[in-house]
Every structure is written in structure tokens, then in C-alpha cells.
Amino acid sequence: MKMSGAKIVIESMIQEGVEVVFGYPGGAIMNVYDEIYKQDSFEHILTRHEQAAVHAADGYARATGKVGVAFLTSGPGFTNGVTGLATAYTDSIPLVVISGQVPTGLIGTDAFQEIDAVGISRPCTKHNFLVKDVKDLAYIIKEAFYLAKSGRPGPVHIDIPKDVTAAKTEFVYPKEVDLKTYKPNTKGNKRQLKKAVEAIKQAKKPLVYIGGGAILSNSATLVREFVHTTQIPAVETLMAKGVLRYDDPLNLGMVGMHGTYAANMAMAEADLIISLGARFDDRVTGRLDEFAKDAKIIHIDIDPTSISKIVHADYPIVGDLKNVLEDMMPLIKSQIDPEQYAYFRNIVERYNQLHPLSFHDSDKVLKPQWVIQKTGEILADKAIVVTDVGQHQMWAAQYYPFTYPREFITSGGLGTMGFGFPAAIGAKRAKKDKIVVNFSGDGSILMNIQELVTAYEYKLPVINIILNNNYLGMVRQWQTMFYDDRLAETDLSIQPDFVQLAQACGGKGYRVKTKEEFIQALNDAIKQPVPVMIDVIIDRREIVLPMVPAGESLSNTIVEYHDPKAIENKG
Amino acid sequence: MKKILSVIVENEHGVLARVVNLFAGRGYNIDSLTVAPIPQSNYSRMTIATQGEPHVFEQIAKQLNKLVPVYKVIESDNFIEKEMAMVKFPIENSLSDIDALARCYNGSISNVSDDFIVATIIDRPARIDNFIKGIKRYNPIEIVRSGVSVIDR
């Protein structure tokens, strides 16, 4: 039976087991939306901005590990979604984003709502397609899903001109794809693997460095087994939160710019760094020529371009972390004596005792760290925690008690303000039995505030906890520390009334200034069937510590900072 | 450091843009670039001449390999390199001088019109540099170089 391109899009989604699509219609993609109207196999969630549609699909993908799907129209619809693509690309999140395009004959004529979409998405997607013939459509969609989730995952963009969605052809959905030019290497090289185990055996001060790849490859259980069997201390990146439990005695916490003192010192002193799905981001390494000077490096990564990109890897292993660890564990179990690292464990434990993660609590003003800790006490593992970008993001990473992978959803690589709320909506859609909390700041939350309406309409009661300091806090912190407190354009004293704003969109709002008020508001918020905003008035001058100033080495971690303008003196 | 990469890619629209974007996005210059389909296949071969540090090349080669339509990236120090140059001279020059010179560089005169002589040579890029230096006194009007093509020995 012949089918239109639009219908083929729908049927292909069904074949791929898609249960929800986030999107926003428009002229060039109307044929597809007409077919969405006629079907009831999957749900379509209409966000109020295309950027939010892609972030929501992203949040859905991060919460489930499945491919997130978003539909956009041509021109501005697509360009609004680009930030979403770039966000997913830097964090290796599997998405398929389909955009409408002007009819083939009009491409290149500056037609209404025409933009060179594949030209724009090329550097911020894993791959992209312009479909020129309806006969290719089904295969391209199949290929897109395959590319998005295989190898190093990432977003794939398909641009479909309007005449292609109108044209008809036989629909045959391919069973599998075979790409001669794309064969990700998922099995680690056995010889390299043996050498790596030998290096671990020889090491006196080895350190496990866990990255987001441990979550993407679903290998948290194996990573835990590796760490517990070897008793090697571990540090984690922002993207690896939850791979190890927060209270695992071997977990030294986050490493890097806002990492713990113990994690950063361990990184600086290790003689062997075992990198599991991490990519030596500049926010992790600090000053490169000082980074891990005495350490050999085992680098396990699915993407060969990540290896020896920043730091030379002495033992490169290209492969899926899960496969590599499965192959490695028997060797580890038979060859490694955990006693041999007791000395190093002792050293890092002393670093941890010297400067544990801490803040100065107050009875006069709410501290953001307390708010996050308290949220963790109340919600614990019942919640998925999403964040926007800035100080609140770092505090959430530092102080929330994460216990399992995919519990924490954050824009790590690109650092996209405005990511949190729509991603939380996507996560809530994916995991309706979970409480979904979005920690945000008074800056970030306004960047996709229109999604209150979406959350209300689709009964996705996300709880936004706004850590409100009337500042663009992270930039303000840098201005204070490195720009002599010249607060250029970071003062957000003029703000909407978040309580009324929530109410205006069908949600519920709270404003809290004390601990009691916060506890009460959060306990009430959990019961709400509508989206919630808790406007938490926090200490304006609180800063994120520890901190490694940009371009400094990890051993120069600042753990105390005296702010002369602080509202109340520390300690 | 000069370096030549031979890249075999799927012959489809957009693939040249993907490859070139890799260079452009990182601020690397391409000295020359040639592309043509490989006979009896769905592939094309790109030959890219560029300059940079060895570790940069390693990264570029990996990044090229990562592109979905790239089949193979060949880096070698053992390429046979050839390039073509076409030069237009004023008709006032001695035809035999130019013919003799061109022959020294595997070339010949391709065309003589009322106003111009066009000579074409095919040789190693370094030899083409020499040729271009050597013909200065014949006042060439236009010089067209094809960019280098290579094959592994």
C-alpha cells in the first residue's frame, strides 16, 4: 500500500516504539501533524517553544536511556531547536529531531520560513539528513535511530521538505541497517586490556575517574563492582553523579572546578588514572600542564576521538565501557589485591577529613546548600533531580544524596541555561512515578518559563525550586573573585513575582525565607497535581566552594573565601 | 609541517561540507583539496593538503573517521604525489621555449589562440613550484593549479 511521506514518519515512529513526541507545528511540517492528528499510537506534547521541545525530548532520553524525539517546523522553528541539539550533542544524548523544510523546488530561493537547516545542524549533531526523495525516508529514519543510540550516542537531525511528506511510496520499514562507513568499535582490544590490568597491578596510587559514559553505557553496576573489588578510590564528573552512591566510602565526590578537595588532591597525586567513560573536560583538568603530572592514564572510551585529545593516554582502550569492564573483571578479580592501595586510601581519607565538603549554615538567612540537603532528606531516591545552569547546579551536584544512575539530569558540556524546566517535563513524562525536581536559579528559570503552561496542560507536576539570590550568581561569583566585585549586568533585583507567575499558568507558587517555610512548602508541593514554583530566597552572596580558578591547577583548590560584602559573616 | 590526507567517502550530498567544516570549525587552513568519484563504486576520494602539528593531524584524522559517511582515512609518508598546472602566456613568447620548458615538467602546449599560449604540466607539487618560478620571465598571465592527488606506493 502506498503511503504519504507524512504517514511514513508516523508509522516509522510506531515501528521504533516511540511513545511520546515533543514538538511544535508550523507550515512546513503540517502534513506530518495532520497524520499525528489521525493516530493514537503515541502522545504528542505541545511545548510552548521549540527549544523546550528538544530539551524535553532530551530529558526524556536521559531519564530512560531511550531515544528522545522532537518535531519542529522549518526556519525559526528549527533554529529555536538548535540549542537543544547542541546541548544533547555535547552530552552525547540520543535524539531524533525531525524538522519540516520548504518544498524541494523552493530550497535556496529564500522562501518563507526557509533556512539551510542541515547546514546549521551539521556541527551540532552526530549526523543529519536532508530527505530529497520519499523513497529514502523510511530507511533514513531507521538509520537515524540506529545512529542516535549506537556507538557514542548523540542527536540526529532529519530535515524533510514539504513535498516529500506529501509524496507517496510503498512503506517498508527496514529490519536493520548496515552502514559500511560506520562501525563503532564496541569490544576493547584484549591485549590493551591486559596491559591496563598490569598497570593497575603495578600502581601504588591509582584513582578511578568516572564520567557520563558510565551512565550512557548502562554500566554503573559494573563500575561499582570494579571499584569495590579493587578498593581503589574514585572521583566522579558532573555527568557521572549516581554511578556510585554519594555515601560510598570510596567515592571522593566530584572532581574539577567545583570538585571536593579530596577528589582534586587525589587527581593531582595519583600515579595511575583509570578513566571510565570520561573525556578530560577543561572543567575537570584545570591547568593542563599541571594535570596529573605523575600519572599514567588508562582511558576507556567508545569514541576514539576522545582518547588522547586533551591528555595523552598511556593505555587507550576503544570500546563500550560495559563490554570492556565485563572483559576486565575476571582479570581484576584474579590479579588485584585491594590491600596494595591501603596507603593511598589512607592519604585521600586524610584529605577528606582536612577539608570535607561543607558550608556555614545560618539561622538568619537560607543557605542554598541546606535547601538542597533538606530536599535530599525529604525526597531521597524518590526523586529525579534536574538542574539549570549556574551556582544552583553545582550546589545540587555537591549536596544532593545521589544513589543511582539517571537520578541527576543536567546540561554538563554545553551548560545551557533554560535546560532544566523542559528537561524536567520530559523526565516526568518518562517516569511518572517519580517526583521530578528542577533546581534552578532566578536567572535560568526565566529562560524557558513559558513551559509552566505545558506542564499544566499535560499534568506533569514538576517542582521547580528556585534558589533565588537576585543575581546571575555564578557570573556574579566570578566578578566578585576575579573582577574586583564589579557586578556588570548580573544584578537581577527586578524580578517577576514567581508565586503569581505560577498561579497565572495554572500552577502553584510558594515564597519561602525560612527553614520551616521551605520544609512546609516542599511537603505541600509533593501533593500538588500541578506544576510548582518554590521561590527560595537565599543568601545573596553565597558562593560555590571549593573552587579551582579557571586556568589553575587542581592542587590550588580554594576551600575558604572571605567575602567582605557578605550579608552575614561566615562562621 | 605539511601533510596530505587521502579520504574515501560515500558519494552523497553534504559530505564535502562535513569534511570541510571539520577544518573550518577548528580554524585550520586547507592548502588544496581535490575530489572525484572512485570508478565503479559509490565512493569518492578526497585528497586534502594541509599544514599543522602532528598531534593536530592525529585528531583531524580521528575526527574525519568519526564522520558517518567517511569510509577510510589514509595517512601515509609514502604517497606518489602529482599535481597539474595550466599556464597562460602572451602570444609574443617563443612557442618553442615554452614547449621545451613544459616538456621538462611532463607537459606540453595545450592550446594556441590569437592572443595566448596555454601550457599544461603534470608533476610533483615541489616541481610545479620550480616550474612557476622558472616561467616568470615569460610573463605568465594566469596560473591554475589543480591541487595535489596522491596514491600510496
Side-chain angles (χ1 to χ4, degrees), chain A residues 214-448:
Chain A
I215 290 175
L216 295 170
S217 62
N218 296 314
S219 41
T221 313
L222 277 160
V223 172
R224 286 182 186 193
E225 193 189 349
F226 179 89
V227 169
H228 294 147
T229 309
T230 58
Q231 293 286 305
I232 296 174
V235 300
E236 53 189 7
T237 68
L238 179 69
M239 304 312 291
K241 282 276 162 188
V243 173
L244 294 182
R245 286 181 60 96
Y246 78 102
D247 54 358
D248 191 315
L250 289 163
N251 184 358
L252 303 179
M254 188 162 73
V255 66
M257 184 170 275
H258 295 297
T260 65
Y261 181 74
N264 286 351
M265 292 306 286
M267 202 71 151
E269 286 191 13
D271 66 355
L272 179 73
I273 291 170
I274 306 160
S275 170
L276 308 179
R279 60 183 176 89
F280 296 86
D281 181 83
D282 57 88
R283 285 298 188 262
V284 163
T285 61
R287 189 173 151 174
L288 259 185
D289 54 7
E290 293 277 327
F291 175 75
K293 270 193 303 201
D294 308 319
K296 297 272 187 200
I297 295 190
I298 298 173
H299 195 166
I300 306 172
D301 204 295
I302 185 83
D303 179 2
T305 67
S306 283
I307 293 178
S308 294
K309 178 179 63 175
I310 307 287
V311 177
H312 173 75
D314 303 274
Y315 306 95
I317 300 176
V318 178
D320 185 285
L321 183 59
K322 197 172 189 178
N323 294 337
V324 174
L325 285 178
E326 271 167 5
D327 288 345
M328 205 184 231
M329 276 319 292
L331 301 174
I332 293 285
K333 279 178 185 158
S334 62
Q335 296 186 30
I336 302 295
D337 171 19
E339 268 316 296
Q340 70 187 93
Y341 315 123
Y343 168 73
F344 190 50
R345 282 196 296 274
N346 185 22
I347 293 179
V348 295
E349 177 50 34
R350 275 156 55 190
Y351 282 133
N352 199 22
Q353 283 164 5
L354 187 62
H355 296 298
L357 202 55
S358 68
F359 64 98
H360 300 290
D361 202 7
S362 160
D363 292 326
K364 300 191 190 103
V365 58
L366 273 174
K367 294 286 184 173
Q369 301 93 330
W370 178 89
V371 174
I372 286 160
Q373 269 184 346
K374 186 48 78 178
T375 308
E377 269 173 45
I378 295 172
L379 304 181
D381 60 0
K382 293 197 289 289
I384 290 177
V385 175
V386 187
T387 77
D388 266 304
V389 170
Q391 287 183 311
H392 67 271
Q393 178 188 29
M394 292 298 110
W395 285 319
Q398 290 173 333
Y399 288 96
Y400 197 91
F402 295 105
T403 53
Y404 61 93
R406 302 192 185 278
E407 187 182 11
F408 185 49
I409 292 175
T410 194
S411 166
L414 199 67
T416 307
M417 288 171 71
F419 169 81
F421 190 14
I425 289 173
K428 182 69 185 174
R429 175 58 186 75
K431 302 272 179 188
K432 287 190 173 164
D433 55 328
K434 290 276 182 190
I435 297 163
V436 175
V437 172
N438 173 38
F439 284 112
S440 188
D442 46 310
S444 286
I445 191 65
L446 286 178
M447 286 203 185
N448 265 317

Side-chain angles (χ1 to χ4, degrees), chain A residues 89 119 122-123 126-130 132 143 147 152 179-182 303-305 307-309, chain B residues 8-10 12-14 17-18 21 43 55 58-59 62-71:
Chain A
Y89 183 59
R122 200 174 290 127
K126 181 171 173 183
H127 197 53
N128 63 10
F129 299 91
L130 171 63
K132 297 187 79 177
E143 196 178 326
L147 287 171
R152 178 177 182 173
L179 301 172
K180 287 192 174 57
T181 57
Y182 173 82
D303 179 2
T305 67
I307 293 178
S308 294
K309 178 179 63 175
Chain B
I8 298 172
V9 300
E10 201 110 37
E12 61 178 34
H13 60 87
R18 288 181 210 284
N21 266 4
Y43 296 112
H55 73 273
E58 202 188 316
Q59 190 60 23
K62 282 189 196 171
Q63 293 281 0
L64 284 169
N65 259 316
K66 189 174 162 182
L67 293 175
V68 172
V70 168
Y71 178 63

Side-chain angles (χ1 to χ4, degrees), chain A residues 510 512 516-526 532 534:
Chain A
Y510 309 81
V512 303
E516 292 68 34
E517 285 172 354
F518 177 74
I519 294 167
Q520 211 174 7
L522 183 60
N523 281 316
D524 195 54
I526 298 165
V532 166
I534 307 179

Side-chain angles (χ1 to χ4, degrees), chain B residues 3-150:
Chain B
K3 182 92 178 177
I4 294 172
L5 297 166
S6 180
V7 187
I8 298 172
V9 300
E10 201 110 37
N11 187 359
E12 61 178 34
H13 60 87
V15 64
L16 178 62
R18 288 181 210 284
V19 169
V20 170
N21 266 4
L22 259 187
F23 286 82
R26 289 162 179 75
Y28 302 139
N29 202 15
I30 292 175
D31 287 341
S32 87
L33 170 70
T34 62
V35 194
I38 297 175
Q40 278 114 42
S41 80
N42 300 323
Y43 296 112
S44 289
R45 182 188 296 271
M46 290 184 189
T47 310
I48 305 167
T50 178
Q51 308 191 29
E53 299 301 312
H55 73 273
V56 171
F57 280 120
E58 202 188 316
Q59 190 60 23
I60 288 181
K62 282 189 196 171
Q63 293 281 0
L64 284 169
N65 259 316
K66 189 174 162 182
L67 293 175
V68 172
V70 168
Y71 178 63
K72 204 170 167 187
V73 179
I74 307 161
E75 293 175 274
S76 169
D77 300 324
N78 202 18
F79 282 135
I80 299 170
E81 300 174 23
K82 290 288 178 195
E83 188 175 359
M84 182 179 79
M86 297 159 85
V87 185
K88 192 185 273 180
F89 299 96
I91 192 73
E92 289 76 24
N93 281 302
S94 149
L95 212 55
S96 57
D97 277 13
I98 288 173
D99 185 54
L101 252 173
R103 282 176 192 286
C104 296
Y105 292 89
N106 288 320
S108 61
I109 288 176
S110 302
N111 186 260
V112 181
S113 68
D114 289 350
D115 301 317
F116 307 113
I117 306 163
V118 175
T120 306
I121 62 160
I122 297 166
D123 215 322
R124 283 187 288 118
R127 295 257 305 157
I128 290 190
D129 292 344
N130 290 341
F131 175 76
I132 288 167
K133 261 186 234 157
I135 57 170
K136 270 203 183 124
R137 60 198 169 99
Y138 299 98
N139 304 314
I141 295 163
E142 204 176 344
I143 301 172
V144 177
R145 293 180 72 150
S146 66
V148 64
S149 288
V150 297

